[in-house]
Amino acid sequence: MPDFEIYEIINILGLIIGLTFGMIAQKKQFCFSGSIKDYILTKSTMRGSSVIMAIIVAIISTTLVSTYYEIDLTESNYYRENINYFSIIIGGLLFGTGMMLADGCSNRHLIKFAQGDSNSLIALVFIGIFAFATAKGFLNGFFSPIINNPTLLEWSALLGNITMNIYLVVGILFIILLFLIKKVQRIFSLWDGVLVGLLVSVAWGVTGVIGEESIERIVNLEAISFVYPTAQTIDLFSNYQVNNLSFPISLLLGVLLGAFFMSKINRKYSFGCTSGQGEDKAKFNMIGGALMGTGGVLSIGCTVGQGLTGLSTLAFASAVAIISIFISGTITALLLNRKNKLPMCFIFEWKDNTPDYQI
């Protein structure tokens, strides 16, 4: 039996978590941006309910795991020193706009690419390129005066990156969930949200508990995120070194594999979509991908990285980020819909609901 180092075990577990995430997300088409689009186009709240359920479960399960195993979540990137709320808001606004232009966030494009949408590869490449350019490349110099602006940092420090009250946050989310599901029995159909939320806490456990035992290599305290890991994955394949393989890269590769395998079983979402054929999808995927890559770095995460993983730590900065993403995503979707440029390939509706609309 092979004798694995701790960091290698963590990478294997990251792959397994990613496989599970990818299979669930493909099976139920779990998607933040899609939930906004569903409501605007068809008033459907099914996918939105799954997202809220995932956030609730992620918060509760992560709190239980971190308390039991004494994981200090304030050591994660979501509680970084010199937090800059202005940078986070700008990043969130860019990301939200980009995900609606490209018809999907970073997580969604991983699933779409794995199930057959070649246009999503364009979005993923641009997400990776612009994430790297913003973090370490030519765009870093452009945004550095904002990110490291002494005045903005000083104003942000007045508030600080506080830990929100779990009862208040979960209570608000539960009220939103009840509003979305409308019928209490529907909550039992949100199994994808439950499992996705649990995967977040499992990921925290892997890096926060097992990762602490790693001597050969430092393992960062992190969970599930996709923007900067997309850039790291491109870098790994461009300048291959086996030592560069890490938990987030392994998880991302797992998502692709899991979604691909599930798409061979769940074929109804394999892409033969004709919606918006007249649009230049490549152009919107490039622009949207670039905005998501830059925005995801500035906001310290994407819809999953901040909306699930970040919020699971109850960091106030994560709430600011996901609210910014939601606001700009909704406004962009409404503008696109007004011009009949908001595509709808599939209808997602509650099984007990008879739709009163036509696509």
Side-chain angles (χ1 to χ4, degrees):
M1 184 176 180
D3 186 18
F4 293 108
E5 302 289 356
I6 296 294
Y7 73 88
E8 292 174 325
I9 294 174
I10 289 173
N11 289 342
I12 292 172
L13 292 174
L15 182 68
I16 294 172
I17 293 171
L19 278 165
T20 308
F21 186 103
M23 293 176 73
I24 296 167
Q26 199 285 329
K27 174 65 176 176
K28 294 276 282 183
Q29 300 292 291
F30 181 87
C31 182
F32 277 78
S33 60
S35 64
I36 296 174
K37 186 171 68 170
D38 288 350
Y39 188 78
I40 291 174
L41 291 174
T42 69
K43 302 303 178 185
S44 172
T45 59
M46 187 179 72
R47 288 203 289 179
S49 300
S50 289
V51 168
I52 298 299
M53 175 61 82
I55 297 173
I56 292 173
V57 173
I59 291 173
I60 295 173
S61 59
T62 296
T63 300
L64 292 174
V65 168
S66 62
T67 301
Y68 183 82
Y69 289 105
E70 297 182 343
I71 303 173
D72 185 3
L73 295 175
T74 62
E75 294 297 319
S76 68
N77 199 36
Y78 303 104
Y79 285 90
R80 63 169 60 171
E81 294 183 5
N82 296 325
I83 198 75
N84 187 333
Y85 286 110
F86 297 91
S87 171
I88 289 174
I89 292 172
I90 292 171
L93 295 176
L94 290 175
F95 190 95
T97 301
M99 74 179 187
M100 300 314 300
L101 287 176
D103 192 26
C105 60
S106 46
N107 157 60
R108 180 60 179 156
H109 280 293
L110 288 170
I111 305 302
K112 288 170 68 174
F113 173 58
Q115 67 187 15
D117 186 354
S118 58
N119 281 296
S120 285
L121 179 60
I122 298 173
L124 290 171
V125 169
F126 272 77
I127 287 171
I129 291 173
F130 277 80
F132 219 91
T134 305
K136 297 182 178 181
F138 71 97
L139 287 177
N140 182 264
F142 179 81
F143 286 105
S144 183
I146 299 174
I147 299 172
N148 301 310
N149 185 284
T151 302
L152 298 182
L153 290 172
E154 184 179 346
W155 288 349
S156 298
L158 294 175
L159 181 59
N161 195 2
I162 59 175
T163 299
M164 298 181 291
N165 183 282
I166 185 172
Y167 300 106
L168 176 63
V169 175
V170 171
I172 293 173
L173 290 171
F174 191 70
I175 292 172
I176 294 173
L177 180 62
L178 290 177
F179 171 78
L180 293 176
I181 62 174
K182 294 182 174 63
K183 300 176 182 178
V184 177
Q185 63 268 27
R186 287 176 173 175
I187 202 168
F188 297 105
S189 66
L190 305 178
W191 58 267
D192 57 326
V194 173
L195 293 179
V196 167
L198 289 174
L199 285 176
V200 173
S201 62
V202 171
W204 281 122
V206 169
T207 61
V209 179
I210 303 176
E212 281 287 301
E213 305 298 322
S214 179
I215 299 174
E216 305 83 6
R217 186 192 300 181
I218 295 175
V219 175
N220 295 323
L221 179 60
E222 54 194 335
I224 303 176
S225 190
F226 294 115
V227 169
Y228 195 62
T230 300
Q232 292 175 308
T233 303
I234 293 175
D235 184 52
L236 174 67
F237 281 91
S238 301
N239 305 287
Y240 178 73
Q241 289 183 4
V242 70
N243 288 335
N244 287 339
L245 187 63
S246 60
F247 176 82
I249 295 175
S250 300
L251 192 147
L252 185 146
L253 295 175
V255 170
L256 284 172
L257 290 173
F260 175 75
F261 292 146
M262 181 56 72
S263 70
K264 298 306 175 184
I265 302 171
N266 185 40
R267 291 181 176 273
K268 64 180 177 179
Y269 298 119
S270 294
F271 268 76
C273 178
T274 58
S275 177
Q277 273 190 336
E279 304 299 333
D280 189 348
K281 291 184 179 180
K283 178 181 71 176
F284 283 113
N285 280 354
M286 286 188 285
I287 296 172
L291 291 174
M292 284 189 282
T294 294
V297 170
L298 294 177
S299 61
I300 324 177
C302 55
T303 45
V304 172
Q306 283 285 28
L308 277 179
T309 300
L311 277 182
S312 74
T313 71
L314 295 170
F316 180 69
S318 296
V320 172
I322 195 62
I323 290 172
S324 301
I325 292 172
F326 175 78
I327 290 174
S328 65
T330 301
I331 292 174
T332 304
L334 289 170
L335 292 175
L336 288 172
N337 188 48
R338 184 178 296 179
K339 298 180 179 180
N340 294 317
K341 292 184 178 181
L342 190 63
M344 171 61 77
C345 297
F346 308 105
I347 297 174
F348 302 94
E349 190 54 87
W350 301 101
K351 289 184 177 180
D352 61 354
N353 187 56
T354 302
D356 57 357
Y357 51 80
Q358 294 181 340
I359 296 291

